[in-house]
Amino acid sequence: MSLLEVKDVTMQFGGLTAVTNFNLHINNDEIVGLIGPNGAGKTTCFNVITGEYIPSKGSVFFEKKDITKARSDQVTKLGIARTFQNIRLFKDLTVLENVLIANHLNVKSNLFTAIFKLPKYQKEERQMYEKSLDLLKELKLERFKNEKSSSLPYGLQRRLEIARALATQPKLLLLDEPAAGMNPQESIELMKLINEIKEKFNLTIFMIEHHMPVIMGVCKRILVLDHGLTIAEGTPKEIQTNPKVIEAYLGVETIA
Amino acid sequence: MSKKVITSLILILITITLLIIAQNNLDSFSLRILNLCGIYVIFAVSMNLINGFTGQLALGHAGFIAVGAYSYSLLVMDPQLKEMNFFLKPLIAPLNTVHWPFLPALILAGLMAALAGFLVGAPALRLRGDYLAIATLGFGEIIRIIFTNTQSITNGSLGLKGIPAPDKFLFFSMKNSLMWWVWIAAIITVIFHFLLIDSSYGRAFKAIREDEKAAQAMGIALFKHKVMAMVISSFFAGIGGALLASLIGTIDPLMFRFLLTFNILLIVVVGGMGSISGSIISAISITILMEVLRALDQGFMGLPALPGLRMVVFALLLMSVVLFYPKGLMGNEELSWNKLMNLLKKPLLLKEVKK
Amino acid sequence: MTLELFLQHMVNGISLGSLYALIAIGYTMVYGILRLINFAHGDLIMIAAYIAFYSVAIFSIPWYLSFIIAVLFTMALGIMIERSAYKPLRSSPRITVLISAIGVSFLLQNLGIVIFGGRPKPFQVPELFSKVYEIAGVNIVSITFFIPIITIVLLLGLIYLINKTKVGMAMRAVAKDYDTSSLMGIDVNKIISTTFGVGSGLAAVGGVMWSMKFPQLIPFMGVIPGLKCFIAAVVGGIGNITGAVIGGFLLGLGEILLVAFLPELSGYRDAFAFILLILILLLKPTGIMGEKIAEKV
Ligand SMILES: Nc1ncnc2c1ncn2[C@@H]1O[C@H](COP(=O)(O)OP(=O)(O)OP(=O)(O)O)[C@@H](O)[C@H]1O
Ligand SMILES: [Mg+2]
């Protein structure tokens, strides 16, 4: 079944066209990759899907619903969660608080029920804590639950971003370069983790990644962007041998 | 019962005991300062909610305080008093005949201020950072200018005189009912804010302060939550304004200039943006300091009277805090036993390490 | 309304508008470079006015010299403020810098009260600027003409400085991209100081002209013009000099015409600027000349 549908999206910033006629179709249960040289427009695609930017042209549908002009909080409520390329945790807050905050969108108690801690809210709060702790356990972050999130090492901060995104209970998870700054060992763990959470939470995943082993190891289907244009789409094998892709990467970095 | 609840109860009991002692021993000048402290606690804690916890630099507090002060005064003054006050232009009906008791007037004053908070916040909170600051400052000034010009409602620049203070605390005749009202209101304000910050909504506010975009990506509706914080903040500002009016007994639009907002901002920054206990400590110390330093303006110990010197001291204080201790007294942490203990232990530990 | 009266209002509006424009340019320049609302900008108006006042009243030097002294002193003060109150906070959150700026503003105002006294002082307007001319049945004080002329001359000078000189190009570079400019070897600190100097100088000229138009000095005299000119800068599109000029004229003309056509609203004269500000911010948050920039995520 079709989950996400991006139709002819073009995104312009003043005179600069970051993405041109981008099309994408993701079915339930897929893991799709998006690659491309620096500045190709990958993150911009994410920002269009999540409602951060409204595209200059084209539209975005999620579960057949037009979300082209939806705000990013509305998009998250519908079931799309994301991580950020340049980690954006709530730095001054603890690891646990970071995850708890991502539960807020599902809180049913109103402000006063919550402030006066009426039974309905107490129950919700308890569930929130349990779920958050489970998630932290799942992602092996439980030990750090009371640490300030900015005090975690880089790799764990990325993992916390994933935990936080999962706490919003998404159907579709967007990962923006989750392996950036990780060593090979960490990247392998990350690949395992991505596969695990996909099964466990019934996710569909759309990810940007520069790290070829990771993307080849996880994704069945890959799109390649260059200067905002989609220059190729196919299985990892097809992409690796596609001359256009090799050319786009030449002089920038080689596909390892 | 959790440790937190017990500590809070103990703290409240201590406060009440101190108030009983104060009531019986302080002269009227000191009592007035004590009341002012309580009112500034309300102002600071409520401003901290929007500025410190939610991270929205809103500078319209004086305007909301004015709305509270005027609403309260117009409700509690008796018709005869109103007629004496409004000698240039009569007060419009039905305000000229209403005469409410203290508590309902206090609450309505808060609600009116909350309404003002909503009316200001709904457009202004679409803006961010400096723009928000200047727009809210503008709104605060607009409120004041409106009050100066609506002679038949506010008595314009003549202001209101003879605003009565409550003669009873709830049903009890107390020696100093206003002091009880002020401090009970302050305690309720503090508890309310602690509970709020401790809830899921409070966490959402903090998330907005930390990183607006990330908060939104977590499904938090920014605008709704910012308006919520603003409305609550202005409600308590209104309550504080009502209490201020009944303490001072005279109000006019000039009292609610930006200077008032500046004083509260000073308190919040010194106490620590995002720390309720910081705001409380800072509100009490700075209010006392402000009254004591009045001597500077009037000349003391052989120094000539130098009006303005007091505010020079406060401006310097604000700047030194911002430049050298940008986190203020408490940063965004709360005071707790554990921390106090740690603070005491630290020097000892250091000594041991040195050995 | 007779034609004469209308013309009189127009002349007054243009004169006030160009005064606003001059002061607004200083705001816009500083904002363009540091992304900071320099709350103290308005108080520099007051400082300049008092210095001009005292150097004539106490040292009885000729007025043109006193004006020059006032401008130079205010420029130095502006640079000093930046060095001591803003520079240490370059990497702090914006909210902190803004609070520091509010602190400076209050410090200057209250130092003003301590040093100059809180009572209003009458400003001695030189004869050249206080002559009354009658033109086509309209009475106009000569300062009303001088203000737009001086503003235009200074504006032309500024445009030359920004577009044709090395310093000006560096200013534009820093305003556009702070980090890159410092990597390119531009002495960013020097450029920021220069910007503050120029901005404060314009505020000082504005302050002296202000006190000739409204010849009464009090330590809080800078607050309202400060706020209004900031609003003019925002309305025009902050960071944009043409915008500041447009905003200044819009505000000056609007205010005068509001009072002229709706005298019953004259009590709301000072609210007009704020209402205009809020309308603009809601309709076009980047101001008339500003460009929309989407924040990168
Ligand atoms: N808000 C914005 N305003 C202006 N230009 C932008 C904005 N966001 C992105 N761009 C531009 O769009 C282009 C694509 O940027 P994008 O961040 O999508 O690239 P990317 O493929 O994610 O690159 P990287 O691998 O470096 O993350 C770049 O030239 C960038 O400068
Ligand atoms: Mg990117």
Side-chain angles (χ1 to χ4, degrees):
Chain A
M1 197 191 89
S2 159
L3 190 62
L4 181 76
E5 180 90 50
V6 180
K7 278 190 183 150
D8 285 327
V9 159
T10 296
M11 183 76 223
Q12 285 170 320
F13 300 106
L16 178 107
T17 307
V19 174
T20 313
N21 280 332
F22 182 69
N23 279 288
L24 171 69
H25 181 105
I26 298 184
N27 283 327
N28 253 328
D29 213 34
E30 275 192 290
I31 301 194
V32 181
L34 180 62
I35 64 172
N38 286 107
K42 304 180 296 292
T43 302
T44 305
C45 289
F46 268 30
N47 286 334
V48 168
I49 295 171
T50 55
E52 201 64 64
Y53 300 155
I54 295 175
S56 325
K57 225 183 70 197
S59 34
V60 184
F61 297 88
F62 182 66
E63 294 187 312
K64 303 265 183 299
K65 209 172 150 174
D66 188 348
I67 57 163
T68 317
K69 291 195 172 133
R71 290 192 316 263
S72 66
D73 54 295
Q74 296 168 326
V75 173
T76 310
K77 280 206 177 94
L78 288 173
I80 304 182
R82 74 175 294 179
T83 65
F84 294 93
Q85 179 176 357
N86 46 345
I87 306 179
R88 296 186 82 142
L89 290 168
F90 306 119
K91 292 196 186 74
D92 254 4
L93 306 183
T94 65
V95 168
L96 178 60
E97 276 176 313
N98 265 275
V99 181
L100 282 171
I101 285 165
N103 281 280
H104 182 67
L105 78 168
N106 291 320
V107 167
K108 303 237 160 27
S109 308
N110 66 27
L111 182 64
F112 288 94
T113 319
I115 292 175
F116 298 113
K117 310 253 184 290
L118 301 183
K120 180 182 170 197
Y121 176 76
Q122 286 194 359
K123 195 173 146 218
E124 275 196 294
E125 171 112 341
R126 221 176 303 122
Q127 286 169 350
M128 248 191 282
Y129 269 87
E130 279 164 18
K131 268 197 260 165
S132 305
L133 288 172
D134 283 347
L135 253 176
L136 288 178
K137 214 178 278 173
E138 189 73 34
L139 291 167
K140 304 194 185 64
L141 287 166
E142 208 199 2
R143 283 194 293 147
F144 308 103
K145 67 175 186 223
N146 292 324
E147 308 269 325
K148 245 188 195 182
S149 64
S150 56
S151 71
L152 293 185
Y154 198 72
L156 294 187
Q157 290 198 16
R158 288 221 173 272
R159 211 149 0 118
L160 179 54
E161 273 228 341
I162 297 178
R164 198 176 62 165
L166 289 175
T168 65
Q169 303 182 350
K171 297 168 191 149
L172 173 65
L173 179 62
L174 308 184
L175 300 171
D176 197 341
E177 306 200 11
M182 289 188 175
N183 59 34
Q185 173 65 31
E186 285 174 318
S187 311
I188 292 171
E189 273 173 41
L190 180 78
M191 275 162 59
K192 262 183 26 207
L193 180 76
I194 292 175
N195 282 318
E196 268 169 35
I197 57 171
K198 176 180 180 299
E199 291 312 313
K200 170 127 201 216
F201 297 96
N202 258 327
L203 293 172
T204 306
I205 292 177
F206 182 36
M207 63 189 282
I208 299 174
E209 189 48 72
H210 276 303
H211 226 73
M212 285 309 145
V214 174
I215 207 139
M216 300 289 168
V218 178
C219 305
K220 304 279 170 309
R221 181 157 68 93
I222 295 172
L223 275 80
V224 188
L225 274 187
D226 185 30
H227 293 299
L229 288 166
T230 315
I231 55 168
E233 179 173 357
T235 62
K237 265 251 165 57
E238 289 164 8
I239 295 299
Q240 253 172 330
T241 50
N242 185 320
K244 267 196 196 159
V245 178
I246 295 169
E247 195 189 310
Y249 270 93
L250 266 184
V252 184
E253 56 187 295
T254 42
I255 297 187
Chain B
M1 239 192 295
S2 74
K3 215 163 117 188
K4 256 189 208 162
V5 177
I6 296 174
T7 326
S8 319
L9 283 178
I10 293 176
L11 276 176
I12 293 172
L13 273 179
I14 294 177
T15 314
I16 290 178
T17 319
L18 287 177
L19 288 175
I20 294 175
I21 298 174
Q23 159 172 266
N24 295 324
N25 294 296
L26 291 184
D27 58 48
S28 66
F29 176 71
S30 313
L31 263 177
R32 194 185 140 94
I33 296 181
L34 181 67
N35 285 338
L36 217 46
C37 286
I39 292 171
Y40 270 90
V41 166
I42 300 177
F43 289 160
V45 170
S46 58
M47 188 196 252
N48 207 342
L49 179 65
I50 184 83
N51 285 18
F53 285 101
T54 320
Q56 307 300 305
L57 187 54
L59 300 176
H61 229 54
F64 306 135
I65 294 171
V67 172
Y70 273 94
S71 309
Y72 166 83
S73 308
L74 289 172
L75 289 170
V76 293
M77 286 166 76
D78 67 52
Q80 218 183 341
L81 189 61
K82 285 176 182 166
E83 218 179 294
M84 275 160 55
N85 263 290
F86 288 75
F87 58 84
L88 271 185
K89 229 182 196 182
L91 178 59
I92 52 160
L95 280 174
N96 56 354
T97 52
V98 292
H99 185 198
W100 283 25
F102 177 81
L103 187 58
L106 180 70
I107 291 171
L108 192 65
L111 291 176
M112 292 300 287
L115 177 67
F118 177 77
L119 294 176
V120 169
L125 288 168
R126 295 183 189 285
L127 308 167
R128 270 188 288 165
D130 326 354
Y131 289 96
L132 173 66
I134 206 87
T136 45
L137 195 160
F139 270 118
E141 282 294 296
I142 290 176
I143 291 177
R144 199 175 61 78
I145 294 171
I146 292 175
F147 281 13
T148 316
N149 285 287
T150 43
Q151 190 88 36
S152 55
I153 302 175
T154 61
N155 210 18
S157 48
L158 294 173
L160 302 173
K161 296 187 181 67
I163 303 158
D167 51 4
K168 274 188 190 158
F169 176 67
L170 296 174
F171 306 106
F172 317 106
S173 291
M174 298 284 226
K175 214 177 187 174
N176 197 323
S177 313
L178 182 61
M179 181 196 81
W180 289 104
W181 279 116
V182 164
W183 277 93
I184 296 299
I187 291 173
I188 292 177
T189 305
V190 169
I191 295 176
F192 182 95
H193 282 82
F194 267 121
L195 289 174
L196 170 59
I197 290 309
D198 194 36
S199 75
S200 188
Y201 287 88
R203 281 194 295 267
F205 292 165
K206 287 196 262 183
I208 294 174
R209 169 191 75 199
E210 294 290 312
D211 187 331
E212 210 162 89
K213 292 277 173 204
Q216 198 177 18
M218 293 305 117
I220 294 169
L222 294 181
F223 182 62
K224 180 179 137 194
H225 284 83
K226 288 181 190 174
V227 171
M228 239 181 224
M230 182 83 147
V231 167
I232 297 172
S233 163
S234 44
F235 174 82
F236 285 99
I239 297 279
L243 292 167
L244 185 68
S246 87
L247 174 67
I248 300 187
T250 308
I251 55 174
D252 67 70
L254 281 182
M255 272 174 62
F256 306 100
R257 272 176 303 189
F258 182 61
L259 177 66
L260 179 59
T261 306
F262 171 81
N263 285 338
I264 304 168
L265 182 69
L266 166 74
I267 291 173
V268 172
V269 172
V270 169
M273 302 265 260
S275 167
I276 296 174
S277 34
S279 281
I280 299 171
I281 299 169
S282 163
I284 296 175
S285 357
I286 291 189
T287 307
I288 295 176
L289 205 62
M290 275 198 198
E291 293 305 311
V292 173
L293 288 185
R294 256 181 217 289
L296 281 183
D297 281 8
Q298 286 147 5
F300 76 126
M301 299 202 324
L303 283 173
L306 274 180
L309 192 54
R310 188 170 65 115
M311 283 317 294
V312 170
V313 171
F314 281 107
L316 286 175
L317 177 63
L318 175 75
M319 295 200 48
S320 13
V321 169
V322 168
L323 287 171
F324 305 114
Y325 308 96
K327 297 199 146 208
L329 205 57
M330 300 289 301
N332 55 18
E333 315 263 323
E334 295 298 345
L335 199 61
S336 72
W337 279 128
N338 292 346
K339 266 181 217 127
L340 273 182
M341 288 300 143
N342 282 343
L343 215 63
L344 290 177
K345 268 185 218 151
K346 239 185 210 151
L348 299 178
L349 279 178
L350 277 181
K351 266 181 212 157
E352 274 169 33
V353 171
K354 271 182 191 156
K355 270 182 208 163
Chain C
M1 184 176 288
T2 62
L3 182 66
E4 281 85 18
L5 203 54
F6 178 74
L7 280 179
Q8 171 125 37
H9 288 310
M10 283 306 283
V11 172
N12 281 338
I14 289 174
S15 178
L16 185 63
S18 42
L19 195 48
Y20 284 161
L22 191 62
I23 302 168
I25 291 171
Y27 264 120
T28 248
M29 287 176 69
V30 167
Y31 194 94
I33 267 195
L34 280 188
R35 305 271 172 267
L36 161 75
I37 303 179
N38 182 14
F39 265 89
H41 196 72
D43 303 300
L44 293 177
I45 296 172
M46 175 268 295
I47 299 282
Y50 271 100
I51 291 178
F53 169 83
Y54 277 108
S55 43
V56 171
I58 297 181
F59 304 107
S60 43
I61 51 178
W63 60 264
Y64 45 89
L65 272 184
S66 82
F67 288 3
I68 292 173
I69 292 174
V71 171
L72 291 179
F73 184 91
T74 311
M75 285 170 90
L77 183 65
I79 294 172
M80 233 171 66
I81 290 173
E82 193 277 324
R83 285 280 163 91
S84 50
Y86 304 153
K87 192 174 162 209
L89 298 174
R90 290 255 173 91
S91 53
S92 311
R94 294 257 293 272
I95 196 164
T96 316
V97 196
L98 199 56
I99 292 171
S100 181
I102 297 175
V104 176
S105 167
F106 267 79
L107 184 62
L108 291 180
Q109 284 163 28
N110 289 288
L111 273 179
I113 297 185
V114 172
I115 298 169
F116 310 131
R119 234 175 269 140
K121 295 197 159 44
F123 190 83
Q124 281 292 329
V125 184
E127 211 176 314
L128 174 65
F129 299 108
S130 56
K131 267 194 219 133
V132 181
Y133 293 96
E134 200 196 294
I135 301 164
V138 185
N139 282 335
I140 295 173
V141 190
S142 54
I143 182 72
T144 313
F145 293 114
F146 275 106
I147 291 176
I149 294 171
I150 295 174
T151 299
I152 290 172
V153 171
L154 287 175
L155 187 62
L156 291 176
L158 186 68
I159 291 176
Y160 176 81
L161 173 82
I162 290 183
N163 292 319
K164 294 275 147 71
T165 65
K166 248 184 154 163
V167 178
M169 278 194 285
M171 278 178 177
R172 279 185 297 157
V174 176
K176 192 142 199 181
D177 192 332
Y178 186 99
D179 297 319
T180 314
S181 335
S182 72
L183 285 179
M184 304 260 288
I186 294 175
D187 184 349
V188 175
N189 286 329
K190 200 177 106 196
I191 297 304
I192 290 176
S193 289
T194 315
T195 309
F196 264 85
V198 175
S200 310
L202 294 177
V205 178
V208 172
M209 294 203 289
W210 186 277
S211 7
M212 291 197 280
K213 198 167 167 62
F214 310 100
Q216 207 181 43
L217 308 188
I218 51 164
F220 292 110
M221 65 182 279
V223 179
I224 291 292
L227 279 174
K228 283 186 183 168
C229 295
F230 174 73
I231 291 173
V234 173
V235 166
I238 192 133
N240 183 308
I241 289 181
T242 321
V245 175
I246 295 177
F249 276 101
L250 209 62
L251 210 61
L253 272 174
E255 213 174 84
I256 298 274
L257 294 183
L258 174 86
V259 176
F261 284 98
L262 302 164
E264 64 275 14
L265 289 183
S266 58
Y268 290 96
R269 179 175 173 161
D270 287 342
F272 172 74
F274 290 112
I275 292 169
L276 184 66
L277 168 79
I278 287 155
L279 284 181
I280 277 283
L281 287 180
L282 295 176
L283 299 177
K284 193 166 185 296
T286 48
I288 297 173
M289 299 293 290
E291 293 163 27
K292 192 171 157 47
I293 325 165
E295 192 196 339
K296 271 195 201 180
V297 179

